[in-house]
């Protein structure tokens, strides 16, 4: 039986043996690791302190004995080694190792651990982890692997890893099992060869542009675009000698002219766009770009991979703000780049150097959100279409922007390349800045906030939320004072409609 000595005696409730003096020896059952940690190992990768603290008291029949000396662990007997080996073999049969698991000789590892770790302090830090770590789980959900680095059992294993013969990870910035599972899921949804997840949607765009557009290159983009993306293009790309042509979203003549007059590296566009939900014919523009040797990058955030798959239509790269529909719960920020492995690998190398890493806990939240992605998006598609149809008929609404409406200028394009039209409806009220603000302040269910695509409905007035600092920019890009962007959540349509009606009645 393994023993541990303590320089200060613990106190036992109901113990009538008298005061414990000097150092106290606590006796551990030979299979205490097995007894406590089987369930823990099934559900998490860290047993650690709980394993040590609780297991000692499982054999209450073994009375503490007294001895002198410091805080040290005594060697396990052969009986303990045999029991430990049997328990480890049973555990191995019960659970399966996930990819990149470290498999060691269980009995040898158990013996070495008890010999090496000579104090509670060391046991609390390393027990169950330092020697012969086995990342094993039969949990339904993917575990969160919270680590900054990964260890190798020998120099040869490290060399094998470096030369591609051993599958593992090296450093948290270069990869994580939880994030890897997320990337594989996204690749499957987008029909991509590869995906890299990063810390935000904005960083996804920056990493993609920094990697795929060479110094001195030329890009084409559209007037209707997330403002921060445009600011980055206007202020940062010129520092690398990159020039830019800006066209209206559906102006194919302007695109062709830009391709003919410039050595275009990449055409970057959202579809649908923000905030007017304009749609670009992906197959058409991909053919136009490829004929001139240019890449096509589609920001598909407003569509989600449920409603639109840009890669099979000819896009080279797809970026998303995973904060929106993909995660879907307004509780995590992330972004991703999907596409051909040849291109994504270049972005991944840049990402490994620069940073912008997605935390594994954020990866877990996005993974969890994606399990209901199709259900949420289908609900939001239906509610948004009904809301757009209702608003278009309301006398206090001047105009509705929604690709699912026949009145939308690219409705025919949306129908041909989308399976649903998304959960965002933009519209202009019949009124000025103040009446529009009053309408926003009168709604009760939607949150007055930025972002979109989550379970909760969100509404905002872009003239305030996104362009308050620049009246000139509002005029250039058509952001009127009475414009509203409404992201419907998964609430009941009638409840949302009634709330919108009562708010309109106040203006």
């Amino acid at each position: 039986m393994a023993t541990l000595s303590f320089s200060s005696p613990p106190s036992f409730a109901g113990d009538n043996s008298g005061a414990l003096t000097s150092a106290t020896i606590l006796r551990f059952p030979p299979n205490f690791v097995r007894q406590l940690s089987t369930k823990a190992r099934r559900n998490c990768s860290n047993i650690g302190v709980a394993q040590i603290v609780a297991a000692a008291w499982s054999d209450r029949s073994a009375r503490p004995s007294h001895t002198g000396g410091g805080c040290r662990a005594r060697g396990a007997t052969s009986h303990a080694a045999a029991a430990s080996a049997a328990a480890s073999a049973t555990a191995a049969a019960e659970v399966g190792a996930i990819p990149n698991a470290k498999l060691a000789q269980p009995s040898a590892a158990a013996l070495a651990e008890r010999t090496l770790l000579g104090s509670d302090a060391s046991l609390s830090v390393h027990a169950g982890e330092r020697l012969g770590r086995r990342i094993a789980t039969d949990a339904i959900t993917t575990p969160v692997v919270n680590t900054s680095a990964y260890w190798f059992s020998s120099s040869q294993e490290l060399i094998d890893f470096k030369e591609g013969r051993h599958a593992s990870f090296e450093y948290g910035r270069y990869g994580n099992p939880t994030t890897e599972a997320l990337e594989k899921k996204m690749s499957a949804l987008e029909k991509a060869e590869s995906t890299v997840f990063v810390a935000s949607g904005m960083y996804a765009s920056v990493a993609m542009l920094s990697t795929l557009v060479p110094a001195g290159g030329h890009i084409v983009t559209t007037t209707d675009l997330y403002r921060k993306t445009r600011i980055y293009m206007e202020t940062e790309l010129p520092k690398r000698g990159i020039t830019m042509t800006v066209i209206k979203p559906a102006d194919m003549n302007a695109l062709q002219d830009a391709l003919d007059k410039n050595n275009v590296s990449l055409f970057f566009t959202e579809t649908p766009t923000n905030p007017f939900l304009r749609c670009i014919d992906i197959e058409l523009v991909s053919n136009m770009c490829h004929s001139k040797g240019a890449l096509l990058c589609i920001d598909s955030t407003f569509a989600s991979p449920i409603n639109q798959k840009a890669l099979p239509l000819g896009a080279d790269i797809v970026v998303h703000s995973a904060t929106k529909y993909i995660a879907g719960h307004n509780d995590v920020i992330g972004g991703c780049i999907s596409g051909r492995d040849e291109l994504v690998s270049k972005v991944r190398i840049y990402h490994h150097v620069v940073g912008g890493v997605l935390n594994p806990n954020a990866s877990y939240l996005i993974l969890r959100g994606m399990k209901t992605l199709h259900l949420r998006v289908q609900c939001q598609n239906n509610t948004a279409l009904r809301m757009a149809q209702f608003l278009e008929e309301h006398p206090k609404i001047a105009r509705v922007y929604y690709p699912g409406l026949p009145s939308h200028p690219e409705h025919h394009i949306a129908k041909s390349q989308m399976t649903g039209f998304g959960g965002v409806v933009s519209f202009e009220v019949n009124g000025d800045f103040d009446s529009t603000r009053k309408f926003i302040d009168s709604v009760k269910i939607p949150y007055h906030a930025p972002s979109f695509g989550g379970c909760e409905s969100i509404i905002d007035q872009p003239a305030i939320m996104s362009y308050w600092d620049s009246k000139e920019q509002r005029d250039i890009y058509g952001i009127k004072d009475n414009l509203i962007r409404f992201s419907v959540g998964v609430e009941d349509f009638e409840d949302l409609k009634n709330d919108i009606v009562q708010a309109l009645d106040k203006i």
Side-chain angles (χ1 to χ4, degrees):
M1 179 162 309
T3 60
L4 285 176
S5 64
F6 293 82
S7 57
S8 298
S11 175
F12 292 84
D15 192 333
N16 299 317
S17 61
L20 300 178
T21 60
S22 180
T24 299
I25 301 295
L26 302 181
R27 302 186 181 212
F28 290 71
N31 64 340
F32 79 94
V33 173
R34 161 78 174 145
Q35 288 177 340
L36 179 70
S37 67
T38 295
K39 287 292 184 183
R41 285 186 293 177
R42 289 177 178 173
N43 294 284
C44 65
S45 59
N46 297 315
I47 347 171
V49 177
Q51 170 182 304
I52 303 308
V53 172
W57 321 129
S58 62
D59 185 7
R60 295 302 299 274
S61 62
R63 304 298 299 170
S65 61
H66 302 270
T67 184
C71 180
R72 62 187 182 276
R74 305 289 174 87
T77 65
S78 60
H79 171 73
S84 177
S88 298
T90 303
E94 289 181 351
V95 297
I98 63 173
N100 305 317
K102 302 286 185 179
L103 301 178
Q105 297 296 326
S107 57
L111 286 170
E113 183 174 81
R114 297 181 187 185
T115 301
L116 177 66
L117 305 177
S119 69
D120 273 3
S122 294
L123 285 167
S124 295
V125 174
H126 292 300
E129 297 181 277
R130 179 63 185 89
L131 298 178
R133 175 182 297 177
R134 179 186 176 93
I135 304 175
T137 178
D138 58 4
I140 292 174
T141 54
T142 299
V144 181
V145 180
N146 281 316
T147 186
S148 59
Y150 305 85
W151 62 278
F152 297 87
S153 61
S154 66
S155 295
Q156 186 58 53
E157 186 177 75
L158 175 58
I159 293 170
D160 289 343
F161 167 76
K162 292 289 188 179
E163 296 183 353
R165 294 184 298 273
H166 173 68
S168 186
F169 300 90
E170 178 183 355
Y171 187 59
R173 197 168 78 247
Y174 310 149
N176 177 277
T178 311
T179 305
E180 183 184 57
L182 174 61
E183 291 172 344
K184 288 179 178 179
K185 186 186 295 289
M186 193 66 193
S187 290
L189 281 170
E190 281 288 11
K191 300 188 182 301
E193 292 180 3
S194 183
T195 294
V196 58
F197 261 83
V198 295
S200 71
M202 187 65 229
Y203 175 74
S205 296
V206 169
M208 182 278 301
L209 290 167
S210 298
T211 304
L212 301 183
V213 182
H218 189 91
I219 68 168
V220 180
T221 191
T222 61
T223 53
D224 203 21
L225 185 70
Y226 176 52
R227 190 184 179 202
K228 293 300 190 294
T229 304
R230 184 189 303 117
I231 289 173
Y232 174 79
M233 291 176 173
E234 291 174 344
T235 60
E236 298 301 318
L237 294 185
K239 296 175 183 177
R240 296 173 52 213
I242 296 172
T243 54
M244 179 171 63
T245 298
V246 181
I247 65 172
K248 293 181 180 179
D251 193 343
M252 295 299 98
N253 291 330
L255 174 60
Q256 188 61 60
D257 187 58
L259 290 167
D260 290 340
K261 293 180 178 179
N262 304 279
N263 183 18
V264 176
S265 304
L266 179 139
F267 176 32
F268 179 96
T269 181
E270 302 168 349
T271 183
T273 62
N274 180 24
F276 295 111
L277 307 171
R278 303 294 299 272
C279 295
I280 285 80
D281 187 328
I282 299 171
E283 186 171 10
L284 172 62
V285 299
S286 69
N287 290 332
M288 294 171 66
C289 290
H290 295 160
S291 69
K292 294 292 185 177
L295 296 173
L296 172 62
C297 177
I298 297 294
D299 185 330
S300 201
T301 301
F302 271 78
S304 87
I306 300 301
N307 284 335
Q308 177 176 277
K309 301 189 188 300
L311 296 173
L313 292 171
D316 299 290
I317 288 287
V318 174
V319 298
H320 284 274
S321 170
T323 310
K324 313 304 191 296
Y325 290 110
I326 293 171
H329 289 74
N330 291 316
D331 59 1
V332 63
I333 292 177
C336 62
I337 305 105
S338 301
R340 300 200 312 272
D341 187 61
E342 170 196 356
L343 299 175
V344 175
S345 293
K346 294 178 180 179
V347 179
R348 194 185 300 274
I349 291 170
Y350 172 88
H351 169 58
H352 288 174
V353 172
V354 175
V357 180
L358 187 67
N359 183 280
N361 292 283
S363 295
Y364 170 79
L365 288 174
I366 299 172
L367 268 172
R368 182 213 58 185
M370 289 181 75
K371 293 180 188 296
T372 60
L373 176 62
H374 66 295
L375 300 174
R376 291 184 285 102
V377 170
Q378 288 168 9
C379 175
Q380 290 165 309
N381 287 341
N382 293 334
T383 301
L385 178 59
R386 295 176 67 186
M387 184 63 69
Q389 292 167 338
F390 163 73
L391 290 170
E392 195 168 44
E393 299 298 323
H394 198 284
K396 290 189 178 180
I397 301 300
R399 184 172 181 180
V400 179
Y401 303 90
Y402 187 69
L405 295 176
S407 58
H408 188 279
E410 288 87 45
H411 177 62
H412 63 291
I413 294 175
K415 284 200 304 180
S416 70
Q417 66 187 25
M418 300 178 73
T419 57
F421 304 111
V424 176
V425 181
S426 294
F427 58 95
E428 294 166 356
V429 300
N430 276 322
D432 58 10
F433 176 86
D434 290 330
S435 59
T436 305
R437 186 173 67 172
K438 185 176 182 180
F439 164 76
I440 288 280
D441 292 342
S442 298
V443 296
K444 305 299 182 184
I445 296 177
Y447 288 93
H448 188 187
S451 199
F452 61 90
C455 291
E456 300 86 359
S457 290
I458 287 177
I459 198 166
D460 76 86
Q461 186 175 359
I464 299 177
M465 186 67 72
S466 302
Y467 287 88
W468 182 246
D469 61 335
S470 178
K471 177 67 164 63
E472 180 184 3
Q473 290 278 301
R474 296 202 299 270
D475 292 340
I476 291 173
Y477 296 110
I479 308 298
K480 298 181 181 179
D481 289 345
N482 61 343
L483 177 66
I484 300 290
R485 192 182 73 174
F486 183 21
S487 170
V488 302
V490 297
E491 303 95 341
D492 180 75
F493 167 73
E494 292 297 332
D495 289 339
L496 290 174
K497 184 187 79 171
N498 292 337
D499 189 32
I500 293 297
V501 168
Q502 66 82 22
L504 288 171
D505 287 344
K506 290 181 169 60
I507 63 174

